Amino acid sequence: MLRISIQTILRGALMAGGIGIFLAASPLEVAAQDRTAMRIAVEGAFPPFNYLDANNKLQGFDIDIANALCEVGKFECQFIIEKWDDIIPNLVADKYDAIISSMSMSLERRQKVAFTEKYYNSPSVFIVRKDSSINDISPAALSDKKLGVTSSTAQESFANHLYPETKKTIFRSSPELYKGLADGSVDIILEDKLAIYDWIANTKAGSCCEFKGPDLVDVTYFGEGAGIALRLDDKERLTRLNEALKSIKADGTYDMINAKYFPFSIQ
């Protein structure tokens, strides 16, 4: 039997009489209309914070935090994968609205973009192979070594300024950096400690290597943690994201996401 909805019958009858009718939007449609569009840039190559899984779907701590903030802050969010070297220039050029991609809030970056309050904090650290003879990580001791860093990162800036005599290899992404250490392309690398933690602790490839020396927490280069980057004039979005961040920390959402990736707090 042909089934015709009541709405269809009413629409047809009223239109036939020269009267237009507008059916009420569903609650889901209303909710979507109430949300503010926000385009979010992520690198997609920085596990466990942001990466593409076997199904080419974005996963990671940054992604889960972003989704939680979008829900609480009433944003309709779209993720855009962007090369790290281009991520700030293209934010400034209005190709997206925010960067939620483990970006450290360095003084240099604060001149170009605005940041929310930090959503996690992590020191940087040197990593070597377990069979390495390196024990001293001072600039003088590493002057004849090959140091690996990832392009356009706080670690690269730190190494360029404080280790000027050390030969450096610049890798395009963190996974390539780790592979370079494991296969001996470089003698030592400098990386965000939380980013490399899972590789060292939970992968066969990472079992080759270990942390060397103390944590590095230089505010000039590494900032005061990771924040969400916005254009300098985007005051309203900055306020809303800070309020949403405060909310997910207060209601336990942040802690649940934290526990999914790390056995310790990263706030």
Side-chain angles (χ1 to χ4, degrees):
M1 183 188 334
L2 178 64
R3 298 184 179 182
I4 303 176
S5 68
I6 293 174
Q7 290 93 334
T8 302
I9 295 171
L10 286 173
R11 185 185 290 111
L14 291 170
M15 290 301 290
I19 303 173
I21 184 171
F22 296 92
L23 298 177
S26 70
L28 289 177
E29 291 172 331
V30 171
Q33 292 169 4
D34 288 344
R35 292 174 176 267
T36 302
M38 182 164 67
R39 302 161 296 170
I40 300 172
V42 295
E43 182 190 15
F46 193 56
F49 289 96
N50 59 83
Y51 61 95
L52 292 170
D53 65 14
N55 296 315
N56 214 37
K57 183 178 179 181
L58 277 170
Q59 303 284 0
F61 178 85
D62 289 332
I63 309 306
D64 289 355
I65 289 292
N67 282 326
L69 293 175
C70 290
E71 180 63 29
V72 172
K74 295 185 177 180
F75 293 104
E76 190 69 24
C77 291
Q78 171 194 2
F79 290 99
I80 298 171
I81 297 175
E82 180 64 277
K83 293 179 181 178
W84 188 252
D85 290 353
D86 298 330
I87 206 163
I88 286 181
N90 284 340
L91 171 67
V92 175
D94 198 22
K95 293 188 177 180
Y96 30 79
D97 306 301
I99 300 170
I100 307 182
S101 195
S102 291
M103 180 168 283
S104 59
M105 300 183 288
S106 67
L107 295 177
E108 180 181 358
R109 287 173 178 154
R110 285 186 182 277
Q111 296 175 9
K112 302 174 183 177
V113 297
F115 282 104
T116 62
E117 297 296 321
K118 71 177 180 182
Y119 67 97
Y120 81 85
N121 199 11
S122 175
S124 291
V125 67
F126 285 104
I127 304 99
V128 299
R129 291 183 300 279
K130 290 179 179 177
D131 62 2
S132 172
S133 62
I134 296 175
N135 290 309
D136 185 348
I137 57 167
S138 67
L142 295 184
S143 62
D144 62 344
K145 304 299 183 184
K146 292 181 288 184
L147 170 63
V149 290
T150 306
S151 174
S152 301
T153 60
Q155 290 77 26
E156 181 188 9
S157 181
F158 179 88
N160 285 339
H161 286 88
L162 274 72
Y163 290 76
E165 303 302 320
T166 304
K167 182 178 180 181
K168 300 168 194 71
T169 300
I170 312 301
F171 294 87
R172 292 178 299 176
S173 68
S174 290
E176 292 179 12
L177 175 70
Y178 307 164
K179 183 178 182 297
L181 177 62
D183 67 19
S185 298
V186 292
D187 302 308
I188 185 170
I189 65 172
L190 179 61
E191 174 65 310
D192 180 282
K193 190 172 185 177
L194 287 181
I196 201 170
Y197 169 81
D198 182 66
W199 182 73
I200 287 180
N202 300 317
T203 71
K204 182 178 180 180
S207 65
C208 67
C209 303
E210 62 185 3
F211 299 130
K212 182 63 64 173
D215 293 345
L216 305 174
V217 291
D218 192 315
V219 174
T220 301
Y221 297 99
F222 305 122
E224 299 174 359
I228 299 167
L230 305 162
R231 285 182 291 280
L232 290 170
D233 61 354
D234 199 349
K235 307 297 185 182
E236 180 183 356
R237 202 185 311 269
L238 179 67
T239 299
R240 287 176 61 180
L241 282 170
N242 275 330
E243 290 174 350
L245 184 58
K246 183 178 179 180
S247 178
I248 67 170
K249 287 185 175 182
D251 68 12
T253 300
Y254 184 99
D255 289 338
M256 288 191 293
I257 296 172
N258 189 142
K260 179 179 175 181
Y261 295 95
F262 304 103
F264 45 79
S265 174
I266 68 171
Q267 287 199 53

